[in-house]
Amino acid sequence: MEIFQGLMLGFKGLFTGMNLIAVFVGTVLGTIVGILPGLGPAATMAILLPITLGMGPAAGLIMLSGILFGAQYGGSTTSILLHIPGEASAVITCIDGYEMAKKGRAGAALTAAAVGSFVAAQLSFFGLTLFAMPLARFALRFGPPEYFAIALVGLLILTNVSGGTFVRNLMMIVLGIILSTVGMDPISGLIRFDFGYYELGKGIDYIPVLIGLFGMGEIIQWVMTKEEVPIRLPSIRLRDLYPTREEWKRMTSPIFRGGFIGFFTGLLPGPGAITATYISYTVEKRISKRPEEFGHGAIEGVAGPESANNAGSVGQMVPLLSLGLPFSALTAMMLGCLQMQGITPGPLFMVQRPDVFWVVIASFYLGNAMLLFFNLPMVGVFAMVLRIPMYMLMAIVTLIIIVGTYSIGNAMLDVWIMLGFGIIGFLMRRFNYEAPPLVLGMVFGPVMERSMAQSLLMFQGSLLGFWKRPVSGTILTVAAIGFLVFGLVKLLRYQRRPVKQGITV
Amino acid sequence: MKRDEAGAIFFICLGLFYTLISMKHDMGTIDNPQPGFFPRVMGILMVLLSTLVLVGSFRRRKQDKGLSVVWKEFDIKNIFFAVAIILCVVLYLLAMNTLGFLFLSPFLVFVIAWMMGGKSWVINAVMGIVTSGLIYWTFWIIMRVPIPLGSFWGK
C-alpha cells in the first residue's frame, strides 16, 4: 500500500514541466549515444552531469537515468544493423543480431531487442520498487562496521568483475582512495596533503576526475584513432518489424530469463549490464534445443542478452538508492548528481525526500515506454544520427565539458583537474589500467576511512569486532568463503593450463 | 623498458612518496587511529601491489609490449593533433580570465573542429559561434553560472 501511494505521489510529481522534459531529453540522448559508437553513456553522463545542477535533483537524476537506460536500447541498433556495437553491453547482440539482419530478419531482431528490453526493464523496475524500500529500512540499522564491510566487499568484488586483472584493479581502487584522502580528514578535520595550496585543502572532488577520465579521455582517444562509422544502413519498413509467430514463441522465455539474470547481476558491484549479457547468452545457448543456431542468427541470442542488459542497469540502482553506495561508475555519477544538490542517497533518502525518490521511480516506468517507441517505430530516424560527423560532436562536447566542469564549483582548478585526468585516462588505457575502479575508490575512500576509524574506536582496536556484529560478520564471512572458492577454482584452472602461459598480474 | 614495468615502477614511486608524506601526520594506534593511519596503510598497500605487478611483468617480459605502445599504434598526424588540442585547451584556460568565454570559445571550437577533420572553414566558424552562444545562454542565463567574461573587456 505504501509503495502504491509512493508511486502515485511519483506520477503526480512527474507530470510537471521540468521532470517530463528530463525524461524526454534523457531517453532521446540515451538512445542517440547508444547508437553512436565511441560516445557511451559514461562519457555522456559525465559531460552532462554539471548541467543537472540547474535542473533540480529529481529532474537531474531522471535525465541521467534516461541516458543510462536509453543507451542500453540504442546500443542494439548498430549491433544488429551494422555489426558495430554502440555500447559494450551490446557486443553480444552483434553475434546473432547481425546474422539475422544478413538473413533479412533485421526488423525481427530489432523488435526482439526492444520488446525484450522493455519487458525486462518493466519487471526490474517493479523489483526495484519492491526491494529498495525494505532494503533501506533494513539498512537503517547499519552502523560504521556494516558500512565498512559492504564497501570493502563491494570493492573487492569489483576487482574481479571489472575489465582488468585483480591486482591492477585493486591498485586503481587504492589510487582512488589515496586521491580521496587529499583535503580534510573525516574524523579530526585536519587538512592533509594540500602542499600549501588552499584549493587542495578542500579536497579533490571526484566529479571533475570522472568527467576527465570518461569525457576528456574519450575525446583524446577519438582524436588519436579517428574511427568513423561506415554508414550503409539497410532500410527498415514498419511491416518488417513484426516477428513471425515462431519467433515470438522462441523469444518469450529468454526475455524473462534475461530479465531475471540481469536484475540480480546488476545488484552486484561492477559492470552489471555487461556481465549480464554474457551470462544470459551462455544460459540461452546451454538450454536451447537448437544450440547449433547460436552464432548463425538465433533470436534467443538477441532477446536474452538485450533483456539482461536493461535489467542489469536497473539492478545497479538498488544499492545506490537504498544504501547510497554506487557500485559502478555510472551510478557514481548519479550519486554525484544528488550530492551536488545537497542530497545524500541512502536509507533515509526515501523518508526525507520522497518527492525526489518516487518521482525518479515513476520516471523509469514512463521513460521505458518512451524508449520502446523510440526504438521501434522511430528506429530509422534515430539511426540517422550516424550521419553526423564525429568531428562536429567532439568539438562541441569539448567546450561543454570545459564549461560544465567549471560550473560545478565555479573554480578553474576543477577544469585543470579534469584536463589532467583526461590525459591520465588516455594513458591508463594504453597501460591496461581501468578507470571505473579508480572513480569508485574515490567515492568509497571517505566512507571507508570514516567507518574504519569509527569501528576501530568502537571495538577498541580488535578486528574481531567486525565478526561479532551479525550483519558485518555475515557479509565478511560470506565474502571470505566466496573469495576462497573463487581462488581455488582459479588455482585449479591455472594448474591445468600449459606451463608457458604464466601468471598475469 | 617494457610497458608493465614502467607502469609498476611509476606506481611504486607514487606509493613510496605518498607513504613518506603521510608520515608527517600522526598515525595513532589501532584502537585510536589518527589522520596518518589510513593514508599510511593505503600507501604501503600501493607499494605492495605495484611490486606484485612488477614481479609479474618480469616473469612475462617477452610477451609484454615496449613503452612505445603509448604512441606506436597511432598515426603521427593524429598524435600531433591530440597534443595540439590539449595545448589549445591549456591556452584557452590560461587566457579565459583575461579575454573571456565569449571571445575565446568560438575560436576554440573552430580550431578543434578543424584539427579533428572538419575542413570547411564556414561550417567550423558557424558551429563555433552557435555552440558558444548556446552554452553561454544555458550556463550564464539559465543556470546563472558566473562564466568569466574577461577583464580585458572590463567585465
Side-chain angles (χ1 to χ4, degrees), chain A residues 4-211:
Chain A
F4 180 73
Q5 282 172 342
L7 270 178
M8 286 298 106
L9 173 78
F11 276 108
K12 209 173 145 191
L14 181 62
F15 291 99
T16 59
M18 192 45 130
N19 292 340
L20 217 49
I21 292 169
V23 181
F24 180 76
V25 173
T27 48
V28 168
L29 279 177
T31 308
I32 291 173
V33 297
I35 288 171
L36 284 172
L39 200 67
T44 313
M45 285 165 76
I47 294 159
L48 296 178
L49 189 57
I51 293 178
T52 62
L53 197 63
M55 297 174 74
L61 197 60
I62 288 170
M63 190 175 80
L64 295 185
S65 317
I67 294 169
L68 171 63
F69 301 138
Q72 308 303 328
Y73 271 88
S76 60
T77 306
T78 43
S79 291
I80 293 165
L81 299 179
L82 299 167
H83 201 243
I84 300 164
E87 268 324 295
S89 57
V91 169
I92 215 96
T93 313
C94 277
I95 305 170
D96 285 288
Y98 188 63
E99 287 300 317
M100 281 182 75
K102 281 206 292 194
K103 289 175 185 167
R105 299 303 297 148
L110 287 169
T111 304
V115 172
S117 301
F118 175 77
V119 174
Q122 288 295 2
L123 288 174
S124 305
F125 292 143
F126 191 62
L128 168 71
T129 315
L130 287 181
F131 268 102
M133 198 164 238
L135 188 61
R137 281 225 179 94
F138 183 62
L140 280 173
R141 286 180 244 164
F142 289 3
E146 285 74 25
Y147 272 101
F148 179 75
I150 293 172
L152 179 72
V153 172
L155 288 178
L156 284 175
I157 294 175
L158 186 80
T159 56
N160 276 302
V161 291
S162 286
T165 62
F166 175 78
V167 180
R168 281 164 185 263
N169 286 340
L170 200 55
M171 271 171 73
M172 288 303 101
I173 288 172
V174 173
L175 181 62
I177 294 174
I178 285 175
L179 289 169
S180 78
T181 59
V182 174
M184 197 184 285
D185 169 44
I187 299 291
S188 67
L190 187 94
I191 303 292
R192 300 176 297 188
F193 315 115
D194 64 341
F195 303 101
Y197 289 96
Y198 166 75
E199 288 88 352
L200 271 181
K202 287 188 277 183
I204 300 175
D205 191 355
Y206 72 90
I207 297 171
V209 173
L210 205 144
I211 299 175

Side-chain angles (χ1 to χ4, degrees), chain A residues 168 181 192 224 226 406 430, chain B residues 3-4 18 35 69 73:
Chain A
R168 281 164 185 263
T181 59
R192 300 176 297 188
M224 295 289 258
K226 289 209 177 140
Y406 175 80
R430 305 307 303 161
Chain B
R3 174 179 57 170
D4 284 355
Y18 180 72
V69 75
E73 287 166 19

Side-chain angles (χ1 to χ4, degrees), chain A residues 9 57-58 341-344 348-359:
Chain A
L9 173 78
Q341 310 269 357
I343 295 176
T344 309
L348 290 172
F349 175 44
M350 53 191 81
V351 180
Q352 289 171 343
R353 296 304 301 266
D355 54 322
V356 177
F357 178 79
W358 288 110
V359 168

